[in-house]
Amino acid sequence: MDHKVVIGYAPTRRRIFSVEDALKYKKIIRDKLSELEIEFVDIEDINEEGLLRCAEDVEPVIEKFRAAKVDALFIPHCNFGSEHSCGKVARALNVPVLLWGPRDEAPLEDGSRLRDTQCGLFATGKVLRRMQVPFTYIPNCNVGDPQFEEGVRNFVAAANVVKEFRRARILQIATRPTDFWTMICNEGELLEKFGIQLFPITMVEFTERVKELAASKNEEVDKTVSLIHEKMKVCIPEEDVRKVAALKTAMKLFAVENGCNAVAIQCWDALQQALHMMPCCANALLTEEGIPVACETDIHGAVTSIMTMAAGMGKTPSFFVDWSVRHPSNPNGELLQHCGPWPLSLAKSTPVLGRPFAFPEHCPGSVSAEIKGGPISLFRFDGDNGEYGMLMGNAKGIEGPYTNGTYLWVEVPNWPKVESMIVKGPYVHHAVGIHGNLLPVMLEALTYIKGVRPDFYDEEQERKTRNFYFE
C-alpha cells in the first residue's frame, strides 16, 4: 500500500456574498492543506476565481477530478456556497466527501455579513442527503483550530480505507485447511456486494516458485536473508533461512504481478508436506512491507487487514491475531497470539526464528516475540447469511505470562461481552490489531461502505467514537 490519497479541492461560493472573502478563505484553506502535507488537485483553471460557483462549473470540475483520479472530495464553503453544484459534483464522483466551512466573523458595523458560511453548510448537507451522497462533516470552526486538523487527517485516513477496500484483490494461496470451517467464505457474494476479488493459486504453483527462488541467486532473497540475520535470533539451519526468504519473495512476486493488496495463505498443513516449512516469518516480513498476510486462508481476515493497515496510513503496521485464552488473573484480560506472522518492528526484544510448539511436524519458520503494548485497536470484518459487520474496539497491553509465538496480553473494557459477540457471530477468533486508536477512522470509512455495519464491543468507546467530531 502506498497510502497516497489525492483530494479534489473544490472551494465553493455563492454570488450574493463577498467574492473577496471567498477568495481569501480559499487561499487560507489551501495553504493549511499544504502545511498538513495533504495532496490535492485544485480547480484554479476551471474559471477566473478557482471556485465552484454555479451550474456551468459543474461538468468541468467533474471532468478534471475524474482525470486526476481523485480519491476523495473536499468542498469547503468559502461563503454560503452553491449547494446544488456541490451535490452534483459529489454524486458524480462517488468518492468520500468532506463538508466543512470556516466560522463566520461578526457582522460589520453596518449590520451586513460577508459570508454566511454556516447557513450554506446547512443547505448543502440537505442537498447531499436528497441526492443520497454519504458525507463526512467537520463542525464549523476556524482553520487554525485543532478540530479542523484532526478532522481532515481522520477523513484522509478514512478515504484511504475506502480506496483500498474498493480495490481489494486478495492472493489466495491454496484452499482453506480442511477442518477449518470457520474460514468458509462466500467468494461470489464478496464480489457482488463489495467488488472484492480473489486471485487463487494452487499450493503446487506456489511451492514450485519457492523452490526455484531458494535455489537461485535472487537479489530479493539474498536481501531478505541478510535482514533476517540482522533483525532476529536465528535458531534454524541456514538452508531453512533461505527457504523463509524465498517464501516471502514468492508471495510478494505473486501479489505484485497480479495486483493484489493482501494475501491469504493456507499456512498448514500442505505447505509442511511440500516444503517442510512454516510461513510465519515470511508472513511477518511481507506484512511489514505493506502487503498484509492472513493465516489459514482467512479471506475475511485479509479484508480486515487491508482496511486496518489503510486506516493506519503507514505509521505502524497491523498484526493478525487469534483471540486465544483468558488472562490467568485479570477478568478482562485476553491473550492475542499467533505462530509468528507479526511484523518484527513491533517486538519488545529481538524476535526468535524457530519452530512452533502447536504442530506435530515442528517445521522451521515460526517466530517468537512479545510485542509492545500501549493502546491497541482491534477489528474484524466478517459475515454470514448475507449480512456483514465490522467488530471493533480498543484494548491496552498488560503484563502476562510468557507464551510461544508472537503474542500480547491485552485488557478490554468488558471481556464477557467480547467473548459472546465472537461466539454468537458473525465473527470468529481471528482479528487484526494495530497500535493507536483508529476507531474514528474505521467508523468514518464505513460511512462509505454500504452493507457493513459497525459493531462496537464497548458502549462508551462507541459513544466517544461517534462523537469524535463533536467533543
Side-chain angles (χ1 to χ4, degrees):
M1 295 183 192
D2 59 14
H3 305 294
K4 178 182 176 181
V5 177
V6 180
I7 305 294
Y9 178 56
T12 182
R13 79 166 180 91
R14 178 165 284 182
R15 63 183 182 275
I16 62 173
F17 291 95
S18 169
V19 178
E20 293 75 19
D21 260 49
L23 292 170
K24 180 180 78 172
Y25 274 96
K26 179 192 75 169
K27 183 179 185 305
I28 290 172
I29 299 164
R30 177 193 173 101
D31 291 346
K32 185 65 176 180
L33 293 179
S34 297
E35 178 189 322
L36 298 177
E37 298 183 335
I38 306 297
E39 186 169 347
F40 61 90
V41 176
D42 60 35
I43 55 171
E44 289 296 313
D45 55 341
I46 296 302
N47 54 49
E48 67 278 10
E49 296 175 7
L51 292 164
L52 179 59
R53 308 167 302 184
C54 55
E56 67 184 26
D57 299 327
V58 169
E59 285 304 318
V61 169
I62 292 169
E63 289 175 8
K64 179 170 187 180
F65 287 163
R66 278 181 175 161
K69 297 181 179 178
V70 300
D71 302 301
L73 174 66
F74 180 27
I75 42 176
H77 284 44
C78 296
N79 63 29
F80 189 100
S82 175
E83 72 262 31
H84 66 88
S85 302
C86 295
K88 291 173 184 176
V89 172
R91 185 167 184 174
L93 292 176
N94 189 32
V95 295
V97 177
L98 178 59
L99 179 61
W100 172 84
R103 189 168 173 174
D104 296 288
E105 296 84 4
L108 301 179
E109 289 185 3
D110 64 1
S112 60
R113 300 185 305 279
L114 297 175
R115 293 190 288 117
D116 275 22
T117 288
Q118 185 189 59
C119 192
L121 294 168
F122 297 152
T124 300
K126 181 62 174 178
V127 172
L128 292 174
R129 281 186 53 82
R130 288 285 191 197
M131 302 183 83
Q132 298 184 1
V133 175
F135 64 95
T136 298
Y137 178 63
I138 302 174
N140 185 219
C141 63
N142 295 313
V143 179
D145 289 345
Q147 187 180 26
F148 176 72
E149 179 176 342
E150 291 170 6
V152 169
R153 292 196 184 282
N154 190 74
F155 172 74
V156 170
N160 195 37
V161 175
V162 175
K163 178 191 74 170
E164 293 295 335
F165 180 85
R166 287 179 175 176
R167 74 176 194 92
R169 183 171 165 89
I170 297 163
L171 176 66
Q172 178 184 331
I173 302 175
T175 60
R176 62 173 173 80
T178 303
D179 292 336
F180 288 30
W181 281 38
T182 48
M183 297 300 104
I184 291 173
C185 77
N186 189 326
E187 179 182 351
E189 194 169 74
L190 289 174
L191 182 63
E192 293 159 5
K193 279 181 173 288
F194 308 116
I196 294 171
Q197 302 176 35
L198 305 188
F199 185 84
I201 61 173
T202 66
M203 187 60 74
V204 173
E205 291 175 86
F206 179 65
T207 55
E208 285 302 309
R209 193 163 197 178
V210 172
K211 291 175 185 176
E212 290 172 7
L213 287 166
S216 72
K217 295 183 178 180
N218 182 275
E219 183 179 356
E220 181 83 10
V221 173
D222 292 341
K223 287 181 179 178
T224 305
V225 169
S226 298
L227 179 67
I228 289 170
H229 282 289
E230 176 188 345
K231 300 292 185 181
M232 307 183 73
K233 179 181 178 182
V234 177
C235 298
I236 62 174
E238 190 60 28
E239 64 183 59
D240 290 332
V241 174
R242 190 161 187 85
K243 282 185 185 178
V244 169
L247 275 164
K248 175 258 183 181
T249 303
M251 279 193 285
K252 182 177 180 179
L253 289 173
F254 272 116
V256 172
E257 290 166 1
N258 296 289
C260 299
N261 53 352
V263 179
I265 184 171
Q266 189 205 108
C267 51
W268 183 78
D269 59 355
L271 189 61
Q272 287 69 53
Q273 296 171 18
L275 293 176
H276 197 70
M277 291 294 297
M278 296 295 293
C280 314
C281 182
N283 297 357
L285 295 169
L286 192 54
T287 299
E288 188 92 72
E289 290 188 8
I291 302 176
V293 184
C295 310
E296 300 164 15
T297 325
D298 182 356
I299 301 300
H300 291 169
V303 174
T304 314
S305 297
I306 289 170
M307 299 173 75
T308 303
M309 191 166 281
M313 292 294 287
K315 295 177 182 177
T316 184
S318 64
F319 50 102
F320 185 79
V321 313
D322 266 8
W323 301 97
S324 296
V325 297
R326 296 186 73 169
H327 193 280
S329 59
N330 187 326
N332 287 316
E334 176 75 3
L335 175 65
L336 304 179
Q337 66 84 37
H338 230 282
C339 299
W342 299 2
L344 307 184
S345 63
L346 301 179
K348 277 186 174 181
S349 57
T350 303
V352 177
L353 176 56
R355 302 169 188 269
F357 81 96
F359 298 97
E361 301 91 342
H362 296 298
C363 297
S366 68
V367 179
S368 292
E370 182 182 6
I371 71 162
K372 302 165 189 173
I376 302 287
S377 298
L378 289 159
F379 301 104
R380 174 68 191 187
F381 166 88
D382 218 324
D384 53 38
N385 299 289
E387 296 183 357
Y388 290 81
M390 175 69 81
L391 181 66
M392 51 200 294
N394 287 330
K396 64 177 181 180
I398 58 173
E399 294 298 318
Y402 167 79
T403 188
N404 286 287
T406 40
Y407 73 96
L408 175 67
W409 291 95
V410 296
E411 181 180 63
V412 297
N414 182 353
W415 172 252
K417 181 175 181 181
V418 181
E419 181 178 299
S420 296
M421 291 177 76
I422 297 171
V423 171
K424 292 183 177 181
Y427 310 105
V428 299
H429 61 292
H430 287 170
V432 178
I434 192 166
H435 286 80
N437 178 16
L438 297 183
L439 301 191
V441 173
M442 193 64 76
L443 179 65
E444 203 59 48
L446 294 179
T447 299
Y448 304 98
I449 299 174
K450 186 177 179 181
V452 182
R453 72 176 186 277
D455 210 354
F456 290 85
Y457 58 66
D458 181 73
E459 292 178 1
E460 181 61 18
Q461 290 177 356
E462 179 175 9
R463 185 194 68 77
K464 289 181 178 180
T465 303
R466 291 190 182 279
N467 290 320
F468 173 81
Y469 292 101
F470 313 116
E471 290 190 344

